[in-house]
Amino acid sequence: MEFEQSVAYEIFPALMDELHYDTRLGPPSPPKPIYDANENLIGYDRIMAEKTMAEWQMKLAEFKADSVRLVIAVEDSTRLLEKEEREELLKYFSDKNLILDTSNQSKNYKIKLNRLKAEPKLKFKYLSELPAGSEIWSEEYDFHLSGTTGLSRILFDTTKSYGILHSGFACGKLCGTGFRIFIKKVNGKWIIEKMIVIEIA
């Protein structure tokens, strides 16, 4: 278990680089279309579009320079992997002729926030510290809730050189993506080999 946890915490920074997106930095809405009396498109409101873009660029610069705490809520404990992930690991690394580790995968473990590393602006809280369900997105905080995430257990091969896990990132009630993640050890370091979308909202 300790080995598995060390791998999870080692790949976490790279995982956050792939998963996290500051929704405040999203582009503005497209320009408003203008129609004639017969509902035919004749153009777009360029003046308003240019004004909106200028305002967005100013906000973008402020957001990138600010010191607002961006908080990611993390599930308190790991999730368990589904049985089919054993086949997915073997199939993805089929050229390696892997033999799967048969260690017990029936229990989860508590994620230690102090071992989660990422870019300095990101801070982490347990999901259990925030309102449950969709209420998490409507509550007022003294920080910016940037999203929620979690980790599954990791299934390895017997050489402890290849593995598979699940993770994802949610940024709102109907905003989120789940991934199947393949990892491998290269020159003594664990890296993310491939992330495959398995859920999207």
Side-chain angles (χ1 to χ4, degrees):
M1 184 75 80
E2 180 56 37
F3 169 78
E4 179 184 336
Q5 291 182 49
S6 69
V7 174
Y9 296 130
E10 181 179 340
I11 66 169
F12 190 79
L15 191 58
M16 280 297 97
D17 286 344
E18 294 290 335
L19 294 178
H20 176 254
Y21 174 68
D22 187 350
T23 55
R24 302 176 307 162
L25 306 183
S29 301
K32 184 178 179 180
I34 301 173
Y35 301 93
D36 63 17
N38 297 317
E39 297 297 318
N40 295 313
L41 178 65
I42 59 175
Y44 296 89
D45 189 342
R46 293 181 59 187
I47 295 175
M48 182 57 70
E50 289 173 1
K51 180 182 177 183
T52 301
M53 180 60 72
E55 291 174 349
W56 175 73
Q57 289 175 337
M58 288 179 62
K59 287 184 178 180
L60 187 65
E62 291 174 1
F63 288 147
K64 287 185 175 180
D66 72 16
S67 59
V68 170
R69 288 196 305 153
L70 300 181
V71 169
I72 296 177
V74 181
E75 293 175 0
D76 295 41
S77 300
T78 54
R79 306 176 214 143
L80 301 181
L81 278 173
E82 300 294 332
K83 290 183 178 179
E84 61 262 26
E85 298 311 318
R86 302 174 65 84
E87 294 301 319
E88 293 295 334
L89 179 58
L90 293 174
K91 184 166 60 175
Y92 185 82
F93 292 111
S94 59
D95 60 323
K96 307 299 182 184
N97 297 315
L98 302 184
I99 299 174
L100 297 182
D101 183 8
T102 57
S103 298
N104 191 340
Q105 288 271 325
S106 64
K107 294 182 179 180
N108 56 23
Y109 63 83
K110 187 174 179 65
I111 295 172
K112 298 176 181 177
L113 295 186
N114 64 346
R115 294 186 67 179
L116 299 181
K117 307 300 180 186
E119 62 174 288
K121 190 174 284 191
L122 293 179
K123 307 299 178 185
F124 301 98
K125 286 182 176 290
Y126 284 123
L127 193 59
S128 62
E129 296 177 34
L130 303 177
S134 61
E135 294 301 313
I136 190 174
W137 305 110
S138 55
E139 189 73 19
E140 292 291 330
Y141 306 107
D142 61 355
F143 53 82
H144 176 72
L145 179 61
S146 201
T148 66
T149 192
L151 294 170
S152 75
R153 293 288 307 272
I154 304 174
L155 174 64
F156 296 98
D157 73 307
T158 53
T159 69
K160 299 290 195 295
S161 299
Y162 302 90
I164 186 172
L165 71 151
H166 283 182
S167 187
F169 191 80
C171 52
K173 290 181 181 179
L174 297 174
C175 171
T177 310
F179 293 91
R180 175 181 292 132
I181 302 161
F182 297 96
I183 60 176
K184 67 180 182 180
K185 197 171 189 178
V186 178
N187 297 324
K189 302 291 184 182
W190 284 93
I191 65 169
I192 295 173
E193 162 79 1
K194 180 83 172 180
M195 294 176 61
I196 298 175
V197 175
I198 55 175
E199 298 173 307
I200 193 164

